[in-house]
Amino acid sequence: KDWAEHKAKFLHRLNSTTRIAKNDGWGDFSICTTTPCNPALAEIYDLVIKRKKKTVSRDWLDGIGDIGLAWWLCDDGSASPTAMFLHTEGFSRKENEIIAEWFCDNIGKATVVRNKRKNQYFINIASWTQIEVGRRVSKYVPECMRYKLVPCDENRPRKSNGRIRHRSRREPLFFCQ
């Protein structure tokens, strides 16, 4: 609720409103923030929506910036003491590969992991990349969502510099050069 209210406050110029709705997914309720139609959002809509479906592209990823990455992590991220994930299960394997490649090219190592039980994919952000993600986004993450940032020990021994871009838990899909 605090996160949805933070976003609504930030987006006040768009006349955003927040409401509580029944949730058919995880949890009993969802906090929904909506805005009325606004011509200023048309360019973003055209970049993100293709054939009435949200679609990943390099142009979209290149345009999110650090605040967009922070909000994405707050909306769809999760963390444990040693791991950080982006729950991108709604996207195809190919789209997850685009996301992981974008991370490799712009921030650090990330991998595509397949949930075999559900035949869906999500992003695992590598431990050293978590440090860089935290540096970039922490000033945009409100207190109510700070639990999504992984505390990382920058002084721990580092693994060799080989980069695996995409993998399942057991077998790599392919390697970066």
Side-chain angles (χ1 to χ4, degrees):
K1 184 174 185 284
D2 291 343
W3 171 235
E5 289 172 348
H6 171 84
K7 289 193 293 186
K9 184 178 176 183
F10 187 87
L11 299 171
H12 72 278
R13 291 177 292 167
L14 298 175
N15 296 319
S16 59
T17 57
T18 301
R19 64 181 173 82
I20 298 174
K22 184 181 179 301
N23 187 4
D24 294 327
W26 188 81
D28 295 330
F29 299 98
S30 288
I31 310 298
C32 304
T33 302
T34 58
T35 64
C37 292
N38 187 321
L41 299 175
E43 186 178 340
I44 296 169
Y45 180 90
D46 291 342
L47 183 63
V48 175
I49 305 298
K50 305 292 183 211
R51 296 183 200 143
K52 298 185 180 184
K53 184 178 180 215
K54 186 169 25 171
T55 305
V56 174
S57 70
R58 283 301 289 242
D59 288 339
W60 177 70
L61 293 167
D62 288 341
I64 65 171
D66 291 345
I67 193 168
L69 182 59
W71 283 36
W72 192 7
L73 182 64
C74 290
D75 282 341
D76 297 325
S78 67
S80 70
T82 59
M84 182 183 285
F85 305 98
L86 274 177
H87 293 279
T88 53
E89 287 90 346
F91 296 122
S92 69
R93 174 180 165 178
K94 181 179 178 183
E95 289 171 306
N96 273 279
E97 289 172 355
I98 291 169
I99 295 166
E101 185 175 298
W102 178 82
F103 262 92
C104 285
D105 292 344
N106 293 283
I107 302 172
K109 188 166 112 175
T111 56
V112 175
V113 179
R114 179 174 173 230
N115 178 336
K116 290 181 183 178
R117 193 179 53 206
K118 295 182 178 181
N119 197 30
Q120 295 175 323
Y121 300 89
F122 61 94
I123 301 297
N124 177 15
I125 300 171
S127 61
W128 282 92
T129 305
Q130 295 165 15
I131 295 168
E132 181 59 24
V133 168
R135 281 187 188 130
R136 289 181 181 209
V137 306
S138 62
K139 66 183 173 185
Y140 305 112
V141 177
E143 190 59 40
C144 64
M145 300 303 281
R146 307 258 338 143
Y147 70 93
K148 298 230 180 179
L149 299 177
V150 177
C152 296
D153 177 10
E154 294 186 45
N155 297 317
R156 72 182 183 284
R158 193 169 186 164
K159 292 181 180 177
S160 66
N161 205 12
R163 290 177 22 160
I164 300 174
R165 273 199 184 162
H166 313 288
R167 68 168 175 84
S168 68
R169 292 198 186 271
R170 296 178 190 230
E171 297 177 24
L173 297 174
F174 64 86
F175 294 89
C176 295
Q177 293 297 330

